[in-house]
Amino acid sequence: MTTAAVNLTNLENGQSAQIIEFAGGSNFQKRAEALGLRPGVTITRISAQILHGPIMVRVNQTRAAMGYGMAQKILVLPLNEHPSKP
Amino acid sequence: MRKLLLFGNPNVGKSALFSRLTGITVVAANYPGSTVEYTLGYMRYQGERIEVVDVPGTYSLSPTSRAEEVAVEMLAEAREQSDNIYVNILDATNLERNLSLTLQLLELGLPMIVVLNFWDETRHTGISIDVKKLEESLGVPVIATCGASGEGVKDLVDRLSQHRPGVKLSRDQDRWEYMGMIVARCQTLTHRHHTFAERLEDLSINTWSGLPLAVGILVLAFAIIRLIGESLITYILDPFFGSVWLSVVNAAGSLLGPGLLYDILVGQLVDGEVNFLESMGMLTTGVYVPLAMVLPYIIAFYSVLSFMEDSGYMPRLGILMDNFMHRLGIHGLAIIPMLLGLGCNVPGAMGMRVLETRRERFIAATIMAVAIPCMAQSAMIFGLVGQHGLRALLTVFGTLFLVWFVLGVILNRFLKGESPEIFIEIPPYRWPYLGSLRKKIWLRIQTFVREAVPFVLLGVLLVNILYSLGIIEVLGRVFAPLVQGILGLPPEAVGALVVGFLRKDVAVGMLVPLDLTVSQMIVAAVVLTMYFPCIATFTVLLNELGWRDMLKSAGIMFVSTYFVGGLLNLLLSG
């Protein structure tokens, strides 16, 4: 795979990626892990609110929403260039 | 007493199972030193009465919020007693993530039972879990249940005695790796189509379809509240008070004869007759206002709100509102305590715990206390201002909404610091289980009756004492420049402001004999909402914010009340 790492806000709706690392503090990481978001797992961006509002994601069976700034702190490796419609 | 503790992540259907296991007696308790609420009940186990505790939901044993801290503290406390039973409830449709807490609990060597709830949902979500294999992997009994239908609950009760400590990871084993192994061994997924609920989930969270849907849902919610409230008043309570209670009061009145006791219990006659709203006796106004005017709306409000909470809609509303609420310096989840505040400011103030920082709690608590009328007060405003037409009503509530928004924006601009971002799980939509919904509504109504009725009676008594001692008159003269000059209200309105500290509903009722014009009525309703919280809310806010922030908040209340009240008076009378 040759795609470069981006952050969650760069993904398109419906696109999946593998989480590489968290740039945020340890509390943020702890909360993320509690919801199943941790390095290595596949995350799918579902949609986003307008005007840099919260981003909705899915990891396994869990759906979660996080602020735009938080989503910027999650570095991911996109799994496919062209998102397939779910 | 021996305890059975229910642990689990949030949104795993714990309260439905709790409600299946326990009898009628259910108590909502506050964890000491916090505003985190949990529920207690009782059940029979091996011929013994044991306590069942619905511990606040937590994702892990290393807490990231106050509610999670409480869950961990409750666990530590329970471990001091050796014969307690631990039941860990999992969402069967989300096995892997839920197992994280399970393994942490097992690591402590607790005697446990594991419950796979929402078992019925695994069928149509294409998930199949081998319960026997899961039991082997965890080393404790695993029981599949469906709290809503009651499936598996008897099995759970029958096997409670088999609680035991299970597997423990060795120090070098990674928890997530082990969980992955368990899931690979016990769970198979098959492909399936999207369900209707999932489509609705997508629609209600997308900005363009979600916002109109949210407006529709809220309008519908308030229409239903109005319909239930009005119907209860028109068809049940007014007929009852107008016939049965009126003859009781009249009989009591002729038994008492004229005198001080008559004045306090029955109050002043209006046109030679008892008037439940204006007489101001403990048996007339003191009973009629809380039970016949306010209680119906409380029942209606909590029925609708509890349904919305249990269906899983609230987090979505929070996410949709997040952008907007950040303009006020608070994140979207603050919409939940705000809505709760529309019922009663007390649970609203307690609900502020969902906000993480002191700054957020200060802003949210202040704008709620200033601009959100509780259902008791709203019910009275509907009744009294509503007589003057929809425009008057809209002016009152429109003004309050504007104050709420503008004050939030101002506070956000001038207070130091910034507000953290939202980060929450979005639970799937679920049809609420009526058993636990009923218990929740019942608990809330009980709390209202227990807390409000004594205060109303006290308020009515106070009114009588203050009037007969001439204190209201003196206060009226002292505050006349403010009340009359700036707000344009008659000096007697000071009486309502004094009583408003105790109960806002009684205070609104006290405006009736003053013969106010429509504009005065509007100003008075707005001022009564804004100037200060009632004593019950004040106590909780003081507890939440501390003295210094509470004083600041109170200062903001006084200033904004006179500014808005004065401006409204100028605009309406001009």
Side-chain angles (χ1 to χ4, degrees), chain A residues 27 30-31, chain B residues 58-73 104:
Chain A
N27 195 49
K30 215 156 81 175
R31 285 172 65 187
Chain B
T58 179
Y59 290 108
S60 85
L61 294 183
S62 36
T64 53
S65 73
R66 189 70 188 110
E68 293 199 336
E69 269 170 34
V70 167
V72 174
E73 280 169 38
Q104 290 177 50

Side-chain angles (χ1 to χ4, degrees), chain B residues 299-474:
Chain B
I299 295 175
F301 178 82
Y302 282 131
S303 304
V304 172
L305 187 87
S306 306
F307 182 88
M308 280 169 70
E309 281 178 333
D310 284 14
S311 67
Y313 183 65
M314 296 305 231
R316 293 176 169 79
L317 190 61
I319 294 161
L320 282 171
M321 297 293 291
D322 190 59
N323 237 320
F324 173 75
M325 301 285 272
H326 265 291
R327 314 259 175 266
L328 317 182
I330 45 188
H331 70 50
L333 281 188
I335 194 74
I336 299 171
M338 295 295 171
L339 285 176
L340 273 169
L342 281 173
C344 169
N345 275 199
V346 171
M350 289 165 98
M352 296 297 167
R353 64 162 188 263
V354 298
L355 302 170
E356 293 137 54
T357 65
R358 187 175 147 201
R359 180 181 188 266
E360 280 181 294
R361 283 194 294 269
F362 179 78
I363 296 178
T366 304
I367 62 177
M368 179 194 74
V370 169
I372 296 196
C374 65
M375 195 36 82
Q377 197 180 359
S378 300
M380 298 296 288
I381 296 176
F382 289 151
L384 300 181
V385 181
Q387 293 168 354
H388 301 292
L390 194 63
R391 243 186 91 174
L393 262 186
L394 284 179
T395 312
V396 171
F397 289 102
T399 306
L400 289 174
F401 178 76
L402 214 64
V403 170
W404 181 79
F405 179 74
V406 173
L407 190 60
V409 171
I410 293 175
L411 287 177
N412 184 35
R413 170 144 310 175
F414 290 106
L415 286 177
K416 264 186 292 201
E418 51 190 315
S419 31
E421 291 180 280
I422 199 170
F423 186 18
I424 49 161
E425 181 187 0
I426 316 173
Y429 280 132
R430 289 193 166 110
W431 194 253
Y433 165 53
L434 286 181
S436 50
L437 196 61
R438 213 166 42 216
K439 270 189 193 175
K440 192 173 187 173
I441 297 169
W442 177 234
L443 265 179
R444 287 173 158 172
I445 292 171
Q446 258 183 316
T447 313
F448 168 78
V449 172
R450 209 174 39 228
E451 311 267 311
V453 176
F455 271 114
V456 172
L457 291 175
L458 201 66
V460 169
L461 187 66
L462 185 77
V463 172
N464 282 307
I465 294 171
L466 291 179
Y467 268 113
S468 58
L469 294 180
I471 294 176
I472 299 269
E473 220 176 303
V474 175

Side-chain angles (χ1 to χ4, degrees), chain A residues 9-55:
Chain A
T9 63
N10 304 123
L11 293 184
E12 285 175 51
N13 290 345
Q15 197 179 7
S16 296
Q18 193 178 39
I19 298 181
I20 302 170
E21 66 168 335
F22 292 86
S26 69
N27 195 49
F28 171 49
Q29 235 175 85
K30 215 156 81 175
R31 285 172 65 187
E33 181 170 318
L35 289 178
L37 276 69
R38 61 207 157 80
V41 302
T42 302
I43 190 167
T44 307
R45 172 171 152 148
I46 307 172
S47 59
Q49 300 296 323
I50 53 161
L51 302 169
H52 288 190
I55 305 235

Side-chain angles (χ1 to χ4, degrees), chain B residues 80-153:
Chain B
E80 289 168 13
Q81 203 178 324
S82 63
D83 60 351
N84 289 337
I85 305 168
Y86 302 83
V87 175
N88 176 208
I89 300 167
L90 280 63
D91 176 351
T93 66
N94 198 339
L95 185 61
E96 183 168 8
R97 195 199 73 207
N98 278 255
L99 275 175
S100 171
L101 179 67
T102 309
L103 289 181
Q104 290 177 50
L105 289 168
L106 284 172
E107 272 161 40
L108 298 174
L110 301 173
M112 260 169 60
I113 302 261
V114 164
V115 169
L116 292 176
N117 199 27
F118 298 132
W119 187 250
D120 55 325
E121 284 183 28
T122 58
R123 288 170 207 138
H124 61 251
T125 43
I127 296 166
S128 135
I129 299 170
D130 189 328
V131 177
K132 271 267 142 337
K133 276 189 190 162
L134 190 58
E135 273 190 0
E136 283 163 22
S137 306
L138 296 174
V140 294
V142 176
I143 294 139
T145 64
C146 168
S149 70
E151 179 190 342
V153 175

Side-chain angles (χ1 to χ4, degrees), chain B residues 1-3 43-51 83:
Chain B
M1 196 188 293
R2 200 171 181 183
K3 283 184 191 149
M43 71 178 283
R44 290 210 80 78
Y45 172 70
Q46 297 180 336
E48 193 189 339
R49 188 168 186 252
I50 65 168
E51 201 173 275
D83 60 351

